Amino acid sequence: GDESRATDNRQDIPQSVLLDMHGTLASLFGSDHKRASFYTHQYGKDKRTPDNVVHMPRDKIMDIAPPIKKCDIKSLYETNDYISLRIRGSRDTLDKSEMSFEAFEDYIRSSGSAIISVIEGDYLFKFRQDLEKVFSESLSVNVYHSGIAAEALTKHYDQYDVFVLQLEGEKTWMIQADGEAEVLGSITSWRTVTMKEGDLLYVPKGIYHYAQTADGFDV
């Protein structure tokens, strides 16, 4: 029954994730109960289908505060040389000698989007290290900063599981709702998820998705 499947799933999970000694994941999920429920009932290596996409809205009254509330984009601009500019299909790397922070913000306001990989020296690097300790592996942590009506992510799937924490604004996600993982032609319907500040989203590897901002900025 469910209990045996849950036991099998938990065997795939590092003990540090199950224990979460310092509450790193509890703050990400909103509560220790949400974290434990996710890893007991919804996560597992055998669960790579659209049905296993999980949207966890943040209850601002009952849940604990997220590990990051606002994003200091200016700080990341100053400490990071790996900012990818994504507008109208481009994949250019920001050149600070040609684009000041003010020009970068103008770019974002013009429906631009940027992807900032969190690296050593960034103020968010400790957060990345905390996650890596819990998951017992090296992780990729990216900040997506998007302007009005920006297509922050084009239709794609990832080769790894994805957790998304909404820091500011809102973003609309379109996520594969049926079909097979990694097979775009098998999809006949899409699920719409609106991410608001503090919400967490889990997308298993192989599941197609894309995202777009509405009015205002989004991080």
Side-chain angles (χ1 to χ4, degrees):
D2 291 340
E3 184 175 348
S4 65
R5 287 200 296 271
T7 300
D8 290 340
N9 291 339
R10 290 168 69 90
Q11 291 176 356
D12 299 332
I13 304 167
Q15 194 70 9
S16 53
V17 170
L18 297 176
L19 294 175
D20 193 29
M21 295 293 291
H22 300 289
T24 303
L25 295 183
S27 66
L28 189 65
F29 280 79
S31 71
D32 192 58
H33 172 74
K34 284 184 176 180
R35 175 200 62 81
S37 177
F38 172 80
Y39 281 106
T40 300
H41 302 293
Q42 296 163 306
Y43 180 82
K45 289 184 178 179
D46 59 331
K47 295 185 176 182
R48 296 292 186 267
T49 72
D51 291 338
N52 296 113
V53 172
V54 182
H55 175 216
M56 289 164 271
R58 179 80 51 164
D59 187 322
K60 294 183 179 179
I61 297 177
M62 300 297 293
D63 288 350
I64 59 178
I68 308 168
K69 292 185 178 179
K70 299 290 182 181
C71 194
D72 190 341
I73 297 295
K74 187 173 184 180
S75 175
L76 291 174
Y77 171 89
E78 292 172 348
T79 60
N80 200 302
D81 292 323
Y82 301 95
I83 301 176
S84 178
L85 304 178
R86 303 291 181 93
I87 189 170
R88 290 184 291 275
S90 73
R91 290 176 177 263
D92 299 325
T93 300
L94 185 149
D95 185 341
K96 294 180 187 177
S97 66
E98 297 180 356
M99 182 179 284
S100 65
F101 179 72
E102 290 72 21
F104 173 61
E105 288 293 84
D106 285 342
Y107 162 86
I108 294 295
R109 279 189 284 268
S110 300
S111 299
S113 186
I115 303 175
I116 307 171
S117 296
V118 175
I119 59 173
E120 188 172 359
D122 294 339
Y123 84 100
L124 290 176
F125 186 64
K126 184 182 182 305
F127 172 63
R128 173 182 152 181
Q129 288 181 306
D130 290 344
L131 290 175
E132 289 178 332
K133 288 177 183 177
V134 175
F135 286 105
S136 301
E137 61 179 308
S138 178
L139 300 175
S140 174
V141 177
N142 300 316
V143 172
Y144 290 77
H145 181 34
S146 305
I148 298 172
E151 188 177 68
L153 292 168
T154 56
K155 195 178 297 180
H156 73 288
Y157 68 84
D158 294 295
Q159 296 284 357
Y160 43 80
D161 290 347
V162 174
F163 287 96
V164 181
L165 176 65
Q166 187 73 22
L167 300 181
E168 300 179 45
E170 293 187 8
K171 180 178 287 178
T172 300
W173 287 69
M174 300 297 291
I175 306 170
Q176 175 182 351
D178 62 7
E180 300 176 41
E182 303 184 15
V183 183
L184 183 60
S186 70
I187 304 171
T188 61
S189 63
W190 296 82
R191 171 185 176 185
T192 301
V193 173
T194 299
M195 292 283 287
K196 299 183 179 181
E197 186 174 324
D199 288 3
L200 186 69
L201 177 67
Y202 167 70
V203 182
K205 70 176 183 179
I207 301 303
Y208 275 92
H209 55 278
Y210 61 100
Q212 187 173 31
T213 57
D215 296 334
F217 291 96
D218 156 88
V219 185

